[in-house]
Amino acid sequence: MKVFLSGIITTPYAREFLSKCADALRDKGFECYIPSNDRPSDHVRPSDSTARGDYEALDQAEALIAVLDGFAVSDGVAGHIGTFYALMQGAPAKKGIIGILHDSRVARWDWAAGAQALNYYVLGCIEERGRVFRSFGEALAELLRWDGRVDEARSVDAGLA
């Protein structure tokens, strides 16, 4: 299954987290695209290359995993969610969108606010064919279920929050 992994890419620790998540996905046999790994060359305007490359990867992906951390969902992540949501319409091969929300400022320490604290449009796009989870491990288990690997999903320990 082809997976598009979206998240904040503007800080080293956020890129490192996405990279570790991508490694875990690949270890489970998923193809994984991360926008931060596909930087444009010097002779191409970054906005042109990024938009085109990300759109092509979203179009080919069967699932989107989006890290939703921050006071507000990153504008790039929100763009990926909206684009994938639009591509899902009439495309049953696209499994859906999985969100990951770790940010205690948004979900609260006890996760009492949970996904309901997110922008309602973004949340609606996700929940049409997916859910928001508290950890990468839970998200990976859901992705494995979507891939028909229910037994494998029961024993997931991704080693990542």
Side-chain angles (χ1 to χ4, degrees):
M1 179 186 305
K2 292 182 181 181
V3 179
F4 189 107
L5 180 58
S6 182
I8 300 168
I9 59 172
T10 54
T11 62
Y13 54 87
R15 287 190 300 275
E16 182 180 352
F17 177 73
L18 287 179
S19 182
K20 287 180 180 181
C21 291
D23 289 344
L25 289 167
R26 291 179 184 122
D27 286 348
K28 294 291 186 186
F30 295 106
E31 286 184 51
C32 186
Y33 175 91
I34 310 172
S36 64
N37 287 354
D38 209 7
R39 295 294 92 201
S41 64
D42 291 337
H43 65 279
V44 177
R45 286 185 354 186
S47 60
D48 292 344
S49 176
T50 299
R52 191 175 312 109
D54 286 7
Y55 180 82
E56 289 172 6
L58 285 162
D59 189 41
Q60 294 173 13
E62 296 163 84
L64 169 65
I65 296 179
V67 179
L68 307 167
D69 295 336
F71 282 118
V73 174
S74 160
D75 51 356
V77 174
H80 294 147
I81 291 169
T83 301
F84 195 80
Y85 174 82
L87 290 167
M88 281 193 324
Q89 307 310 303
K94 294 204 176 296
K95 306 291 186 191
I97 303 170
I98 296 173
I100 304 170
L101 181 60
H102 307 100
D103 199 324
S104 60
R105 299 169 301 176
V106 178
R108 304 293 179 252
W109 283 107
D110 60 358
W111 225 70
Q116 295 305 312
L118 295 171
N119 173 284
Y120 291 145
Y121 181 81
V122 169
L123 184 58
C125 289
I126 294 168
E127 289 184 338
E128 173 137 338
R129 271 197 264 168
R131 291 183 47 192
V132 176
F133 294 93
R134 298 170 65 155
S135 72
F136 175 75
E138 292 173 332
L140 177 56
E142 180 74 354
L143 191 64
L144 288 165
R145 283 189 285 277
W146 287 0
D147 201 35
R149 298 190 269 170
V150 176
D151 290 338
E152 198 175 341
R154 289 187 190 117
S155 62
V156 167
D157 178 17
L160 296 167

